[in-house]
Amino acid sequence: MMTRPQRKNNPAALRLRLLDCAATLIVDHGLPALTLENVAREAGVSKGGLLHHYSSKDALIGGLFDMVVEWFGSQVDAAIDADKTRLARFSRAYLQVIANIDMSVPAEKRLAVLILMLSSDPHYCARWNSWVDERLREHHRTDTSPMARTLRLAADGLWLSDLGGGPDSVAATRQDILQFLQTLDPGPATATPNADKGGQ
């Protein structure tokens, strides 16, 4: 008698599916739609199965935040690697990733989740600021000039425009803004007095 092959558990894949479903619910229906019941239903698992991986709604949101920030960081790193210019490399990459967001691409749509989380929860604002501070310490030799700071603030302004659905969130306009900012001279980096050694 033949036995049916047992399906292997893949906890990492299930956790990713749960986070993707959570992100989709937030993007499509707003933060109030993020309930454990809704996420479990969208992922096709029981609520108990969800709680096995994320013990509470806060744990689920924390995992979602970590996923989006990790993805964003990987995109910034890829943009830095492709940039042969030394000065303001991190700031230009930060701007490039945000300016090139395409909300029709599911992975990039996750950034809308991050925008909503940062606009509604001081805890995640603090965690985001810590991430940015860490990256700036890493790149303190190249990204402390006034122009580098201006590029990052311009990128944050584009995120704010996205959140409000402003006219500058149109793809063609974003590209015009990006191309203009990329023509500006970043100027020399200004080392901060207490900057750690190292960096790019």
Side-chain angles (χ1 to χ4, degrees), residues 118-133:
L118 296 180
S119 69
S120 63
D121 194 322
H123 169 70
Y124 290 108
C125 280
R127 287 183 61 181
W128 171 254
N129 289 335
S130 294
W131 182 87
V132 174
D133 286 343

Side-chain angles (χ1 to χ4, degrees), residues 66-178:
D66 290 338
M67 178 188 73
V68 176
V69 172
E70 182 178 352
W71 179 86
F72 180 81
S74 71
Q75 298 303 302
V76 169
D77 287 339
I80 289 173
D81 290 342
D83 189 348
K84 303 304 180 186
T85 306
R86 184 174 174 80
L87 292 177
R89 290 175 69 196
F90 168 72
S91 301
R92 280 202 312 277
Y94 182 92
L95 170 65
Q96 179 181 326
V97 172
I98 292 174
N100 287 325
I101 293 172
D102 183 351
M103 289 299 181
S104 68
V105 177
E108 296 187 18
K109 201 173 182 181
R110 294 172 182 166
L111 284 179
V113 176
L114 181 57
I115 296 169
L116 288 169
M117 293 174 78
L118 296 180
S119 69
S120 63
D121 194 322
H123 169 70
Y124 290 108
C125 280
R127 287 183 61 181
W128 171 254
N129 289 335
S130 294
W131 182 87
V132 174
D133 286 343
E134 181 180 346
R135 297 305 298 266
L136 289 176
R137 285 194 297 271
E138 179 185 351
H139 296 280
H140 72 270
R141 292 183 177 176
T142 61
D143 284 80
T144 56
S145 70
M147 182 52 67
R149 297 176 192 276
T150 299
L151 294 177
R152 296 194 302 274
L153 288 171
D156 291 343
L158 288 175
W159 271 17
L160 182 61
S161 178
D162 279 341
L163 181 62
D168 293 329
S169 60
V170 177
T173 303
R174 294 172 77 98
Q175 283 304 307
D176 288 342
I177 294 170
L178 177 62

Side-chain angles (χ1 to χ4, degrees), residues 3 6 14 29 35 42 45 48 52 74 84 137 155 171:
T3 58
Q6 294 207 348
L14 178 54
H29 305 291
T35 66
E42 289 293 320
V45 301
H52 176 73
S74 71
K84 303 304 180 186
R137 285 194 297 271

Side-chain angles (χ1 to χ4, degrees), residues 1-29:
M1 177 177 167
M2 294 183 63
T3 58
R4 298 174 79 184
Q6 294 207 348
R7 187 175 176 183
K8 293 183 179 179
N9 290 327
N10 190 337
L14 178 54
R15 283 194 294 272
L16 180 59
R17 187 162 86 247
L18 291 168
L19 294 176
D20 278 335
C21 289
T24 299
L25 282 168
I26 293 174
V27 171
D28 292 347
H29 305 291

